[in-house]
Amino acid sequence: MIKRVIVLLFLLGLGLLFIAFMQGYTPDSELNLTGRYYAEHTAQDIGATNIVTAIIVTYRGLDTIGEVTVLFLTAAIVGMLLSRGNRKGKSLQRELPQSGELLTTGSYLLVPLILLLGAYVFINGHLTPGGGFQGGAIVASAILLMLLTDPLRHFSHQLIAIVESISGLLFVIIGVLGLFYAGGFLDNRILPTGELGSLFSAGAIPVIYSLIGLKVGAEFSSMLVNLSETEDS
Amino acid sequence: MVQIAMATGFILILMGLYGALTNHNILRIIVSFSVANTGVNIILVAVGYMHGRTAPILNEAVPVAEAAARIIDPVPQALVLTAIVIGLGITTLMLAFAYKLYERKGTLDISKFSELKW
Amino acid sequence: MVETMIVIAAVLAGIAFLLALARFIKGPSTFDRVIAFDVLTVVSITFIVLSALIEERGIYLDIALVYALLSFLGVIAIARYLEGRF
Amino acid sequence: MTSFVDYLGGLLLVAGASFLFLGGLGIVRMPDLFNRIQAGAKTTTLGTLLILLGAGFLHPEWGFKLLLIGLFLLFTNPLSSQVLARAAHRVGIEKSSKTTVDMLAKDLAKTKDLADNGRESS
Amino acid sequence: MQTRSKLKKNIRDRAVLFVTLLLFWIMLNGTLAIDSLIVGIFVSLSITLLFCSGLSFFTEFRATPKAFAAGLFYYAYFFKELVKSNFKLAAIILSPSLPIKPGIVKVRTRLKSKMGRLMLANSITLTPGTLTVELDGEWLYVHCVTVDSTDIEEVTTQIVAGFESYLEVMYG
Amino acid sequence: MNEMLMPAVTLLFAVAMIGAAFVAIQVKQISIAMLAAGLVSLLASVLFLFFAAPDVAMTEAAIGSGLTTFLFFFVLGRVRGGQRD
């Protein structure tokens, strides 16, 4: 009981702080300096129409490398934690109810479409909303649909690992190429900037974002597959 | 409009913290954390919003010349985008640890885990 | 005139949204809540399309696309769990 | 300047939204789970399709995307309802007292009996 | 001999899937520009090769003019049925006494191909008032809001026959 | 009239999110709490779209719709039967 009172008091204090913050807050009517710089220079310098993509891939490209690394570490830790259940031939002996014919057929119909949508999202990252992270999550959703249809389905861990590491390696190599042939690490102007608004524009951004998409999709997929292959306790 | 979203975000944070602090089940704590996480993201997006402006994507609707006067601040959006992806990774990690703990101890009640209490 | 019609459509969809929300909060069994969840996501697609109409930006439809293709995954996952398959 | 096509689009929007409203009403009023799936998850499909059509009339240049949204909706929505109904029937959720006949439960019981008998005799 | 025909069918399925994916890609992009077309061919090809058991809308479709005509008529019939049954259900929901008589009935289908059966079940589910609960061999279990009769043949003609006559021509 | 529409719809979604969050932390069965958490994240994605952030909205929709819900329910299914709620 005393604990609950302490929690409530703490939350009350936090709420008062929030209210004070909200009363003092006035929305900006103009872009601040950073935002104005990005808005005015992205189209000429980078050639991408989606400014958020330009920020994530080029202006703040190092942060993205860090983020992808954090995701990779997470996937690796999940795999390590649950690796006990991966002994071959022994996993999942219990009987599962059949998944109906309709769901099986429907998933065979929908999985290619979901993969196609994922590819569309990460290839068009510089023109439309979306990009590597979204596309990777959509690709992983396709894997999830397969898992939901047939939990005993075997996924090749090797294929996932190969896709993951090759795309990560290419990502870093492209970054280093930017160091030699353009302004700096992860500069996108190693390829021509192209015409604003067409698919082959914005230099290396579509390539880099596709690689990020493949990498993120492989990481999420490996998390899902590792989780679903654990033994029933 | 901004005020509505900010209030919602703050209320979600408070509710999530309340749930995380008062529950005993680890899974429920993780659920409360995910609610609070969403609240933080909403506040960050609401801070970047400006009335009467549109999304930071340039096409026929927003020509390059008037971009600075028509779009909203793109920096908070880039921050939130990475935050959401990392949030999923963290949730997965927490769930994996919860599963492992359950396998070891056979319970998910945190008041039963007494090794680290003094 | 068209604006008025959009407002009327938004009001009607909003009432549907509130009714489904009531079923979600009240719903006696978990299955009832899952149906309310399904209806809420479908009504959300309507709101996305309406907001694209109001802001006059076609790119917002990409989110509706993702919603239409992925929102059923959650329902299927829950149905699998309730069937006892995990 | 609103033309005839714009009026048609607006009317289609309102019609679709009224079907959505009916779906919401049905989900509250119907007595048991299967009927709620029928009323809630089905009328909303037509409602959303009509709204997409109306948006297509108002902005013809969005046509392809709207068509794709409708197509995906036509394939994912029945799938989820069907999986949900199947799971509900397997769990044996309570049906309303007005239910007249349930041939699936009868047939499931019959096949189960047959399997039990076969096991005993062999 | 048999393996060869199987291989032929397999290659045909893959080709159909590839063409369908390319069509969807063009619709998603909304342009016929050469660069997006090249990328689309590459993406569709890799999905087709990686995901072997994929199906598409036209996998078992018979490529005859008759089948295309049946497809058009099928969609016309389907939308007519959709609107009609929506109004029927709307009348039920809006009436204060809620005149329903629900039940699960059993109907028979003659369709053999996977896509045809999926389309049939989806059509039945999408028309309000009927909901496919289970598909088991040739039997479909359908939940109806108002059950008129419990005789299998009669219900079959009532619910299934309309869709089936078109789908049979399309998919066989 | 059109000026009032977007704030009204935002308010609608805000109320729905708070209601879902209330269900998430208050309800007895844990499965419903997880479902409500998934609903909060799906509604948040629409709210992001209203605040002119389509990139964020798409991320939240792609992640919140399938992956998070599946992970929660998967782990819940594996540990079910070992405890009270």
Side-chain angles (χ1 to χ4, degrees):
Chain A
M1 197 59 223
I2 189 100
K3 198 179 144 198
R4 189 152 295 206
V5 172
I6 293 174
V7 166
L8 277 178
L9 278 177
F10 168 67
L11 290 182
L12 195 70
L14 211 59
L16 285 178
L17 215 67
F18 287 159
I19 289 172
F21 174 74
M22 271 194 53
Q23 275 177 344
Y25 177 77
T26 46
D28 295 340
S29 56
E30 280 292 307
L31 283 180
N32 54 18
L33 269 179
T34 347
R36 177 176 291 277
Y37 179 83
Y38 289 148
E40 280 167 356
H41 290 75
T42 302
Q44 293 100 22
D45 292 357
I46 312 289
T49 54
N50 187 346
I51 299 178
V52 178
T53 299
I55 293 178
I56 286 182
V57 179
T58 304
Y59 289 122
R60 291 272 176 277
L62 272 176
D63 295 4
T64 308
I65 284 194
E67 189 194 357
V68 173
T69 315
V70 169
L71 267 186
F72 168 71
L73 282 178
T74 314
I77 292 173
V78 169
M80 205 172 73
L81 267 178
L82 305 172
S83 63
R84 197 185 60 87
N86 281 347
R87 280 169 295 175
K88 269 183 194 158
K90 270 197 162 183
S91 57
L92 281 172
Q93 293 289 330
R94 68 208 165 114
E95 282 185 26
L96 293 164
Q98 290 292 310
S99 68
E101 187 199 323
L102 285 178
L103 182 59
T104 316
T105 318
S107 76
Y108 286 156
L109 177 69
L110 286 170
V111 166
L113 291 182
I114 298 180
L115 285 174
L116 188 80
L117 181 70
Y120 166 76
V121 165
F122 64 65
I123 288 173
N124 278 296
H126 56 300
L127 301 177
T128 57
F133 297 106
Q134 294 90 329
I138 295 173
V139 169
S141 299
I143 307 281
L144 169 62
L145 181 55
M146 285 194 241
L147 274 179
L148 282 175
T149 313
D150 181 12
L152 300 181
R153 189 188 176 95
H154 183 71
F155 286 96
S156 161
H157 286 266
Q158 260 184 338
L159 181 69
I160 295 176
I162 285 174
V163 170
E164 207 265 330
S165 32
I166 284 185
S167 48
L169 192 67
L170 285 177
F171 182 27
V172 176
I173 285 177
I174 288 178
V176 174
L177 281 183
L179 202 58
F180 288 118
Y181 293 103
F185 189 63
L186 273 177
D187 197 320
N188 70 322
R189 280 167 293 186
I190 54 172
L191 295 173
T193 325
E195 182 195 350
L196 190 70
S198 64
L199 183 59
F200 287 150
S201 67
I205 284 186
V207 182
I208 294 177
Y209 233 7
S210 305
L211 292 175
I212 292 177
L214 285 177
K215 193 167 160 63
V216 170
E219 276 155 359
F220 282 156
S221 310
S222 90
M223 284 183 206
L224 290 174
V225 172
N226 274 325
L227 262 177
S228 80
E229 280 180 359
T230 51
E231 263 178 87
D232 193 25
S233 59
Chain B
M1 206 167 148
V2 178
Q3 275 79 13
I4 295 172
M6 282 179 107
T8 314
F10 286 140
I11 292 173
L12 284 184
I13 292 178
L14 290 180
M15 285 172 105
L17 282 182
Y18 175 78
L21 289 174
T22 52
N23 276 313
H24 285 287
N25 189 326
I26 292 183
L27 285 181
R28 296 194 82 119
I29 293 176
I30 298 173
V31 168
S32 308
F33 260 116
S34 100
V35 170
N37 192 2
T38 314
V40 174
N41 292 338
I42 288 174
I43 290 176
L44 275 175
V45 170
V47 164
Y49 182 73
M50 273 172 270
H51 185 73
R53 297 194 177 203
T54 182
I57 296 174
L58 315 169
N59 57 3
E60 312 88 63
V62 184
V64 179
E66 23 181 299
R70 292 281 309 278
I71 64 168
I72 65 165
D73 198 353
V75 182
Q77 294 191 19
L79 280 176
V80 174
L81 205 150
T82 51
I84 290 173
V85 178
I86 293 292
L88 177 65
I90 289 173
T91 309
T92 317
L93 203 56
M94 286 198 284
L95 284 171
F97 272 113
Y99 176 62
K100 206 68 191 168
L101 274 178
Y102 177 78
E103 227 178 22
R104 275 279 164 77
K105 300 268 177 172
T107 179
L108 280 177
D109 194 340
I110 44 166
S111 54
K112 300 266 172 61
F113 297 112
S114 49
E115 284 90 348
L116 284 177
K117 272 188 182 167
W118 77 87
Chain C
M1 191 59 201
V2 175
E3 279 82 20
T4 323
M5 281 175 172
I6 290 179
V7 172
I8 294 171
V11 168
L12 280 173
I15 296 173
F17 192 85
L18 282 179
L19 287 172
L21 189 71
R23 176 53 80 191
F24 185 85
I25 291 174
K26 196 177 88 184
S29 74
T30 315
F31 280 104
D32 294 306
R33 290 189 163 96
V34 178
I35 297 166
F37 181 87
D38 202 6
V39 173
L40 284 172
T41 53
V42 175
V43 178
S44 301
I45 293 179
T46 301
F47 277 112
I48 292 172
V49 173
L50 286 182
S51 103
L53 280 176
I54 292 172
E55 305 257 333
E56 305 215 321
R57 303 218 52 181
I59 45 173
Y60 284 10
L61 291 179
D62 281 18
I63 288 96
L65 211 61
V66 174
Y67 245 83
L69 202 48
L70 293 188
S71 68
F72 83 118
L73 276 177
V75 176
I76 287 185
I78 298 160
R80 293 278 101 152
Y81 164 77
L82 292 170
E83 231 177 348
R85 279 200 58 180
F86 286 146
Chain D
M1 192 59 220
T2 50
S3 65
F4 173 71
V5 177
D6 286 355
Y7 278 117
L8 193 61
L11 277 181
L12 279 173
L13 284 184
V14 174
S18 21
F19 274 113
L20 287 182
F21 166 70
L22 280 177
L25 200 63
I27 212 176
V28 171
R29 282 201 69 195
M30 283 294 190
D32 75 340
L33 185 97
F34 293 102
N35 293 312
R36 273 179 208 141
I37 297 181
Q38 301 258 13
K42 297 292 119 31
T43 45
T44 50
T45 310
L46 182 64
T48 314
L49 286 179
L50 284 179
I51 284 192
L52 294 176
L53 193 65
F57 272 116
L58 289 176
H59 281 265
E61 70 271 18
W62 299 351
F64 278 134
K65 285 248 167 79
L66 294 169
L67 181 67
L68 276 181
I69 296 172
L71 213 57
F72 289 158
L73 211 62
L74 274 181
F75 273 85
T76 56
N77 215 342
L79 207 58
S80 62
S81 329
Q82 190 261 338
V83 171
L84 193 63
R86 189 167 177 270
H89 198 276
R90 266 165 193 269
V91 171
I93 199 121
E94 198 176 317
K95 284 187 271 297
S96 118
S97 57
K98 286 179 180 173
T99 308
T100 51
V101 60
D102 187 349
M103 289 194 182
L104 177 56
K106 227 187 278 173
D107 278 10
L108 282 180
K110 210 189 286 169
T111 48
K112 203 176 164 223
D113 276 355
L114 274 179
D116 288 351
N117 289 337
R119 204 171 293 146
E120 275 165 24
S121 61
S122 63
Chain E
M1 201 61 212
Q2 197 153 25
T3 52
R4 174 170 286 182
S5 73
K6 211 179 225 172
L7 193 73
K8 215 170 170 184
K9 187 174 173 297
N10 198 357
I11 288 177
R12 183 172 171 268
D13 282 359
R14 298 275 183 99
V16 167
L17 177 63
F18 171 73
V19 171
T20 320
L21 286 178
L22 196 59
L23 195 73
F24 269 86
W25 178 267
I26 292 169
M27 275 164 75
L28 271 174
N29 279 289
T31 62
L32 271 173
I34 192 75
D35 47 358
S36 84
L37 216 57
I38 291 170
V39 176
I41 287 172
F42 177 70
V43 167
S44 321
L45 204 63
S46 48
I47 290 175
T48 317
L49 292 180
L50 273 178
F51 187 65
C52 335
S53 46
L55 296 174
S56 86
F57 295 108
F58 305 113
T59 300
E60 282 147 333
F61 196 77
R62 292 178 186 165
T64 58
K66 217 173 154 190
F68 281 107
L72 283 182
F73 280 121
Y74 166 74
Y75 276 104
Y77 180 75
F78 169 66
F79 281 109
K80 196 194 86 191
E81 207 53 21
L82 186 61
V83 173
K84 209 171 77 185
S85 55
N86 257 302
F87 277 109
K88 218 186 280 173
L89 197 69
I92 291 178
I93 293 172
L94 285 177
S95 70
S97 61
L98 219 62
I100 57 170
K101 207 173 100 187
I104 295 179
V105 294
K106 185 172 161 185
V107 294
R108 189 205 300 271
T109 175
R110 292 195 302 271
L111 296 173
K112 289 285 179 295
S113 72
K114 273 185 179 175
M115 269 310 293
R117 288 154 75 96
L118 180 72
M119 296 274 270
L120 178 68
N122 274 1
S123 313
I124 291 176
T125 308
L126 271 174
T127 48
T130 50
L131 168 72
T132 316
V133 177
E134 178 97 67
L135 178 62
D136 185 16
E138 57 171 356
W139 298 108
L140 275 164
Y141 296 88
V142 177
H143 179 271
C144 296
V145 170
T146 49
V147 180
D148 293 331
S149 72
T150 53
D151 180 51
I152 291 175
E153 298 303 325
E154 201 183 326
V155 178
T156 304
T157 51
Q158 209 178 353
I159 297 174
V160 179
F163 295 120
E164 205 178 32
S165 58
Y166 297 115
L167 283 172
E168 205 167 22
V169 182
M170 285 162 68
Y171 291 103
Chain F
M1 193 150 180
N2 230 347
E3 281 295 300
M4 285 303 295
L5 183 60
M6 287 317 279
V9 177
T10 313
L11 190 64
L12 178 73
F13 274 83
V15 168
M17 282 175 71
I18 292 173
F22 187 74
V23 172
I25 61 165
Q26 214 55 40
V27 81
K28 283 253 168 42
Q29 297 103 311
I30 194 159
S31 60
I32 295 174
M34 288 170 174
L35 189 60
L39 187 63
V40 169
S41 91
L42 270 179
L43 295 181
S45 126
V46 185
L47 205 65
F48 290 145
L49 189 70
F50 292 160
F51 282 85
D55 292 84
V56 185
M58 193 184 262
T59 319
E60 186 83 47
I63 284 177
S65 62
L67 294 173
T68 323
T69 321
F70 168 76
L71 287 170
F72 275 134
F73 276 95
F74 184 82
V75 174
L76 180 61
R78 281 294 160 89
V79 306
R80 175 164 55 178
Q83 74 227 35
R84 286 161 276 113
D85 77 351

